[in-house]
Amino acid sequence: MFLKCSLFVEKERRVKANSREYNDKFLYADNRIKTSKYNIFTFLPVNLFEQFQRVANAYFVVLLILQLIPEISSLSWFTTIVPLVMVLVITAVKDATDDYFRHKSDQQVNNRKSQVLIRGSLQKEKWMNVRVGDIIKLENNQFVAADILLLCSSEPYGLCYIETAELDGETNLKARQALSVTSDLGDVSKLLNFDGKVICEPPNNKLDKFTGTLNWRGNKYSLDNGKMLLRGCILRNTEWCFGMVIFAGLQTKLMQNCGKTKFKRTTIDKLMNTLVLWIFAFLICMGVILATGNTIWETWIGRGFEMFLPWTKFQISTVFSGFLTFWSYIIILNTVVPISLYVSVEVLRLGHSFFINWDVKMHNRQTNTAAVARTTTLNEELGQVEFIFSDKTGTLTQNIMVFSKCSINGTIYGDVYDEFGHRMEITEKTACVDFSYNLLSDGAFKFYDNTLVEAVKQKDPAVQEFFRLLALCHTVMSEESEGKLVYQAQSPDEAALVTAARNFGFAFWARTPESITVCEMGQVVTYQLLAILDFNNTRKRMSVIVRDAQGRLRLYCKGADTIIFDLLDPSSTDLMHTTSEQLNEFAGEGLRTLALAYKDLDEEYCDVWMKKFLFVSAVLENREDQLAALYEEIERGMKLLGATAIEDKLQEGVPETISKLNLANIKIWVLTGDKQETAVNIGYSCNMLRDDMTDVFVVSGHTLTEVQQQLREAKERILSLSRVSDARNDEENDMFADDSVFEEAIITEYALVINGHSLAHALEPQLEIVFLDLACLCKTVICCRVTPMQKAQVVELVRKHKRAVTLAVGDGANDVSMIKTSHIGVGISGQEGMQAVLASDYSFAQFRYLQRLLLVHGRWSYFRMSNFLSYFFYKNFAFTLVHFWYGFFCGFSAQTVYDQWFITLFNIVYTSLPVLAMGLFDQDVNDQNSLRHPSLYKSGQNNLFFNKRQFFLCTVHGMTTSFLLFFIPYGAFSVMVKEDGSHSSDQQTFSITIATSLVIVVSVQIGLDTHYWTAVNHLFVWGSLAMYFAILFAMQSDGLFGVFSNIFSFVGAARNCLSEKSVWLVILLTTAVCIVPDLFVRSIRASLFPTQTDKVRQLQQSCKSQRPEEQNLRRARRTSSRRSAYAFSHQEGFGELITSGKNMRTSRVSSTCSYERTAPSSKWIENVIKRTNAVSCISFGSPNKQHQSLKQPDRLNC
Amino acid sequence: MMASSYNAKEEDGHHSGSSSHGGPGAIKSKKPDNTAFKQQRLPAWQPILTAGTVLPAFFVIGLIFIPIGIGLFVTSNNIKEFEIDYTGVEIDSPCYICAKNFSWNSTTSCVCSVNFTLDQPFESNVYMYYGLSNFYQNHRRYVKSRDDSQLNGVESNLKQPSKECEPYRTSDGLPIAPCGAIANSLFNDTLELFHINQNGTKQRVNVTKKGIAWWTDKHVKFRNPGGSSNLSVAFQGTAKPVNWRKAVYDLDPEDPENNGFINEDFIVWMRTAALPTFRKLYRIIQKKPNSTPTLSSGRYVMEITYNYPVLSFDGRKRMILSTISWMGGKNPFLGIAYITVGSICFFLGVVLLVIHHKYDTRTNSAEIPN
């Protein structure tokens, strides 16, 4: 079935409703999701197969086989098989647990219930059994089970609302509307007979596009994205809806957007693989050299020596003997790449992951979440990140809009002053205003300035008008939920404003197409809504025209200050100037501002205007422009009321983190699904964009050529400017005029903002390089309105062409693809669900922890891993190559220098723990200093600690050590005799001397490599030495020899050898000669050419006694240009939706009495007020008055 | 993977709701422990290797190594050593004929004698070694061609030697004892030393053949099978090694205690040398109780029963006479090496001192960007 599916390339999709027989023909994917890899039966073979695909594992198996051939075997089989089995088992267990959890989560999702129309009735069915063509019923707040075509809903006109946070990260509601022909299929019997046939595009990953047609009853209806509910959305504000499944399971747009899970490997991993290949090559070279040597030896000497050492029957010729020797040497020398390297690396990474999980400073107290390293194999990559791709909403911002300040009639409200008149910083401890007097207040709303409340209570007309405007001029919908008034706003900004008005006593309560009901200071007032002059991108404002209870007509307008100020009445000029200054102040604090104005209208003018309005509305040609002109006509001559300032709350510490990361030479790109204005605004408040930047390029072309043009222009501009500065630089200092310095100079000054539709073109093959070059020249890059797939494409682009480590951080499902594509994915465990976290490699609660993750943990991990690898390669070269030198003195016969037990245990027991301790605990610089000096991070980005050169150096170091380890004892042993005259230049003594020297040299060397000697390091280093001697004597004891005399043939050698003074003198000499040069070079280097790290270390040591206080990196905000709050995430056309009444609960057609549906809610409010009266009496006016006011809606009812 | 998230979210919400009902105790804090270990704040010694901190080490090494080196050098020079090559390669060499006419099958042994003169008397115990050159006792196939269990007197291995012994495992269907190439190639020249008195008479120099093997080898590693005093019975059913003229239990006709596997010459041979040029202790000339030197200066003759062929592989045979000191035999290498290394260290120490004074103070300034 699966095979067939994959073979069948779908060109278009045909789905027939309620007809499984028909749809089954096409073998569409069902709604089951499978992310697991194995099942019980396939686990063992598949897993082993996967494991042996790793070169290392396969290599060791080959070695093992070689060792089983007696003619070749120069080492016993147990030296290889024990570690190999260990590695395989550990890996298999880990894979199995991972897959178990995947199975579990798959099962959970697949077993979710949904209501499906089968066999004539609605039945509960598991998600995995939902098929393409089925009609399913969704209820409020349910997840959509598959990509479905909306057929009808509980709402009029087949409207329904969805939240798409899981898909694109936007939390505002979106409306979807069914085709009018299907919107009245509202009951099961009608739906059962629905046999429409949909022909549409094949499955794809475009979230915002859908094309198809519905054929029903002989007619064709075209379908677009506005009629689709995608998997991953949540149904909101809609009691129920019915839909027909178009795409299911893995073919849904959500799943198609997932991107493939890649097996992520770190740069060091890849480097290590290359190096291992090099080492293999080196190994083969040495094998060939030694084999040739063997052939020559056998020809010249071996033949003559045959009387004492006859050739075996396998030894046909000297060449063949050389061939066998080659393999024998491969076995002996294989320890240059020991299995324990791979195990140790995994152990280190696991340890580093635990340190991340344990870090108290990355634990968020509010949400009680600690940082989690979900992948344990990427830690050192954290120390090499060059690009960070960040989501905006929920990552940089909290996605909470807060009504922070306002200016009313020239007075600023919102600041808190202490008793001396100084402005106080608002913190969590600041007492906020008590809104308990207001029955309808929203508890979550916080405001700190009491003077505004006083002003409202004193009925200051300007203040009242200000809030009345906020309560009237918007497109928010209200709803009653669990006895509370709930607003559904299109944009969080609007919700914030309306909520503010509500708390200050002007609660927007309900709306119909022709009226708005507001509870003003406890009184219910209904305004007649004459017109909504809707927002669009050029107008940057919206207005409403209302008639109040007294019959006065008034226009309320809110919008971008620059626009509003142009439309003001001359009488407001003074106020405009004051307000303008105040707006500057708000903007400087990073707040989004809106100016509010009103205008009194007289009846006749309004009538005339309304007629024009109706006329223009019906015009077909140029309607937009004519409407705009008409709107502007009535909006002229307004009086200014004041301004609002909304804070798009950043996550804690975001600007500081960004500036830290910038100092560490990490480029941060923001990729957001949000609008350009929002993104730019956040760019400013995060200090990523600044007014002192030379240029902010905005690329927003709609065609390929436009985009190309814009990109080229921007790049030319940068280059031309830089050429000028280049010339200047040249004169100043020729020395530093190289490219890199130059690029730095450029980077500080430019920013690039690119739109989603332009990005689509910019990512095409012919433009991507231009785009990338430009983007890399800019300090800040912001991509807005990007789809999840585009996010991934951008990451992929950088990955592909820049060879830099990328990190993606996000919190929503829309970030999943990007998180999976990047080298490292970080999920913010925030409000927007868990997808990002589940797909991520690391997760924590707030963006600011990123600096600790990278600058501290990442840097340490990289540093440790690098040192670990350098040392490990050094150690094994020193250990193994002794055999190479010995080859020249033993007839190239692959005789080992050491006892085979020593070879087995050297890497596992004698030297593993000290190097592990170093890899786990070493710190060159402590965490505080790591954060204080972000430039330390650059060594990771530039691969300074471990690269091919470093590897070469450490192998040369190892080779030299092996050379000395062999030839110093050689020099001494050629004539050595024991103190009692008996000969001691025998093989076992020689072997023990070299082995002991090796263990000591290697231990001293790790001592030099260790920067941070904890008790554990001491224990392990000294313990390993002690262990070596203990095992040495134990292995060579009489007892063991008595039992297995052929295996432990070294009996008594250590006792005889190590009791000799001369042996110890040789060991001492060897150790000194091996260590002294390295020690000298190290100290010289640290003194003459100190690195940044060295300097910081010295600084750290010199001021160890006095702990310097935490540096305050909070930077003063600079004044930045004002930015209107209005445009943000606001959509055009909602005004129309409201005035048309389509989104109202009751349609105009069905009820002449349009307040029918609001009646119950008025009763509800009555109840609320009654209830509260019984409890407390703090409210406006007397209870009597309230009763009167409560009657008003009743009257309105008819 | 992605899909699972829906659950997670719901569960999360559900979980936090239910746990909050359970009272404060029910909420489990995920806050990690604030311990020095988990926070990576373990107290630690953080040495910084700079010229200043390291230079004492260099001086210390220098100051220790130079005296040791001088001591070693002097000691080594005081050791008397005399070496004579009797291989018989050159035509004028007394053993030329023996070397030339060597045959495994000859029943009579070829004897040759070498004259030499000691210029100085050897005062203390004199150790007599035989030295072989270009003899690959460390060849892998040679090294493994033995059966330690058999040599340890294990009965089963006596009758069934290890496969490693091939091709010297069996001979005419009988198991070889001791088996293997090492045992088979046992050095079997006999070296006898005579002092030529003023009057021209030869006087045999008395030598001991015991105490030349390691104690552990003689008492632990090598043991005769059976335990019965009659070795020929114990070795019944085994064959002697192919190249041997005598059976293993007849190696020392003079001392029955020195026969079988615990024959010391055999043990010494079985301890394979590390390098192709090696010397092995052959006999010890004990110091006489009176004050006369062990070997007085004068003319000597060494009579060699030439049984061991080395010419085919360009080998050399030597006889070495040597006294020993607290550090063993003559070994000029160590002394010179110690003096050299010590001097270099001292010199490097001086270099570091200069560097330290010139540069180290500068780096203390905190000129670190950000």
Side-chain angles (χ1 to χ4, degrees), chain B residues 108-168:
Chain B
T108 52
S109 45
C110 176
V111 178
C112 57
S113 44
V114 180
N115 294 312
F116 61 94
T117 312
L118 289 180
D119 298 329
Q120 285 178 316
F122 283 51
E123 298 288 346
S124 53
N125 282 357
V126 177
Y127 294 81
M128 188 176 170
Y129 302 89
Y130 59 89
L132 292 175
S133 295
N134 215 18
F135 191 98
Y136 285 81
Q137 253 206 325
N138 57 5
H139 194 283
R140 178 166 59 92
R141 278 190 288 115
Y142 186 86
V143 169
K144 69 174 185 182
S145 184
R146 66 193 283 159
D147 185 342
D148 278 312
S149 297
Q150 191 193 43
L151 297 173
N152 196 31
V154 175
E155 206 67 49
S156 56
N157 290 62
L158 184 73
K159 298 281 149 47
Q160 273 219 313
S162 153
K163 283 198 186 77
E164 307 282 1
C165 285
E166 291 286 4
Y168 299 111

Side-chain angles (χ1 to χ4, degrees), chain A residues 749-770:
Chain A
E749 294 172 59
Y750 295 93
L752 175 71
V753 177
I754 186 163
N755 254 319
H757 47 82
S758 310
L759 192 63
H761 296 299
L763 288 174
E764 276 173 34
Q766 64 263 45
L767 277 189
E768 58 177 22
I769 299 293
V770 184

Side-chain angles (χ1 to χ4, degrees), chain A residues 15 40 65 83 108 208 232 374 481 501 538 589 594 743 787 806 823 849 911 1032 1050 1079 1123 1142:
Chain A
V15 186
I40 294 176
I65 294 166
Q108 254 174 333
D208 52 352
R374 299 170 46 85
S481 151
T538 42
E589 290 168 42
L594 271 186
E743 206 169 272
T787 62
T806 57
H823 291 98
Y849 297 134
T911 57
L1032 184 71
F1050 267 54
L1079 189 64
R1123 295 174 301 280
K1142 274 183 180 174

Side-chain angles (χ1 to χ4, degrees), chain A residues 531-559:
Chain A
I532 294 179
L533 285 55
D534 202 5
F535 159 89
N536 72 27
N537 274 323
T538 42
R539 275 167 49 77
K540 291 189 175 161
R541 61 187 184 269
M542 81 165 280
S543 306
V544 290
I545 301 174
V546 291
R547 191 198 300 274
D548 68 9
Q550 283 76 38
R552 279 179 310 204
L553 281 173
R554 199 164 252 192
L555 176 141
Y556 290 107
C557 177
K558 66 177 183 187

Side-chain angles (χ1 to χ4, degrees), chain A residues 1037-1073:
Chain A
S1037 64
D1038 305 351
L1040 269 181
F1041 177 76
V1043 185
F1044 308 102
S1045 33
N1046 269 335
I1047 302 177
F1048 300 98
S1049 60
F1050 267 54
V1051 60
R1055 268 175 283 169
N1056 281 293
C1057 155
L1058 296 179
S1059 58
E1060 294 292 300
K1061 290 183 210 71
S1062 49
V1063 167
W1064 282 107
L1065 285 173
V1066 172
I1067 292 172
L1068 179 65
L1069 182 70
T1070 315
T1071 311
V1073 173

Side-chain angles (χ1 to χ4, degrees), chain B residues 288-310:
Chain B
K288 289 162 191 156
N290 50 20
S291 60
T292 53
T294 322
L295 287 179
S296 51
S297 57
R299 294 197 301 132
Y300 287 85
V301 66
M302 178 170 66
E303 280 188 6
I304 302 137
T305 319
Y306 202 107
N307 290 327
Y308 206 68
V310 291

Side-chain angles (χ1 to χ4, degrees), chain A residues 327-571:
Chain A
W327 293 110
S328 305
Y329 267 113
I330 294 292
I331 295 173
I332 289 191
L333 298 176
N334 86 77
T335 43
V336 279
V337 195
I339 308 179
S340 67
L341 173 71
Y342 291 91
V343 186
S344 308
V345 164
E346 295 302 317
V347 170
L348 280 196
R349 287 176 174 158
L350 193 69
H352 295 169
S353 305
F354 273 113
F355 281 128
I356 291 174
N357 296 347
W358 284 335
D359 196 336
V360 162
K361 286 177 184 155
M362 282 164 58
H363 171 260
N364 188 275
R365 202 175 301 154
Q366 279 120 33
T367 55
N368 189 23
T369 38
V372 179
R374 299 170 46 85
T375 310
T376 55
T377 54
L378 292 175
N379 296 313
E380 77 270 5
E381 192 97 322
L382 289 173
Q384 302 187 282
V385 174
E386 277 183 66
F387 287 89
I388 292 181
F389 300 91
S390 174
D391 176 37
K392 185 195 73 73
T393 320
T395 307
L396 298 177
T397 64
Q398 299 180 358
N399 204 24
I400 298 173
M401 298 295 161
V402 180
F403 179 81
S404 162
K405 286 177 186 181
C406 61
S407 150
I408 304 173
N409 210 8
T411 318
I412 291 187
Y413 298 97
D415 287 327
V416 187
Y417 296 91
D418 62 11
E419 58 264 44
F420 309 110
H422 297 300
R423 212 166 101 180
M424 293 194 327
E425 185 101 344
I426 290 173
T427 60
E428 278 174 33
K429 286 175 196 157
T430 315
C432 55
V433 172
D434 181 20
F435 285 109
S436 56
Y437 65 85
N438 186 347
L439 304 169
L440 293 171
S441 65
D442 181 352
F445 182 81
K446 288 206 168 90
F447 199 75
Y448 300 94
D449 187 3
N450 269 311
T451 54
L452 186 55
V453 187
E454 297 306 316
V456 175
K457 282 187 182 165
Q458 282 157 18
K459 307 205 169 161
D460 181 329
V463 174
Q464 288 210 334
E465 202 61 13
F466 181 88
F467 286 116
R468 190 170 291 129
L469 186 154
L470 291 183
L472 291 173
C473 180
H474 56 77
T475 54
V476 172
M477 307 290 296
S478 69
E479 198 190 14
E480 174 212 333
S481 151
E482 294 171 10
K484 277 180 188 160
L485 190 58
V486 175
Y487 292 142
Q488 293 296 345
Q490 255 198 314
S491 77
D493 303 56
E494 270 207 321
L497 292 175
V498 179
T499 309
R502 164 181 171 180
N503 273 39
F504 283 104
F506 288 79
F508 163 65
W509 175 11
R511 71 157 78 238
T512 70
E514 284 110 18
S515 75
I516 298 172
T517 310
V518 179
C519 182
E520 283 183 14
M521 311 299 279
Q523 298 185 358
V524 176
V525 183
T526 302
Y527 293 87
Q528 193 185 345
L529 178 65
L530 298 178
I532 294 179
L533 285 55
D534 202 5
F535 159 89
N536 72 27
N537 274 323
T538 42
R539 275 167 49 77
K540 291 189 175 161
R541 61 187 184 269
M542 81 165 280
S543 306
V544 290
I545 301 174
V546 291
R547 191 198 300 274
D548 68 9
Q550 283 76 38
R552 279 179 310 204
L553 281 173
R554 199 164 252 192
L555 176 141
Y556 290 107
C557 177
K558 66 177 183 187
D561 42 46
T562 45
I563 306 278
I564 299 266
F565 286 180
D566 287 344
L567 298 168
L568 288 183
D569 191 67
S571 62

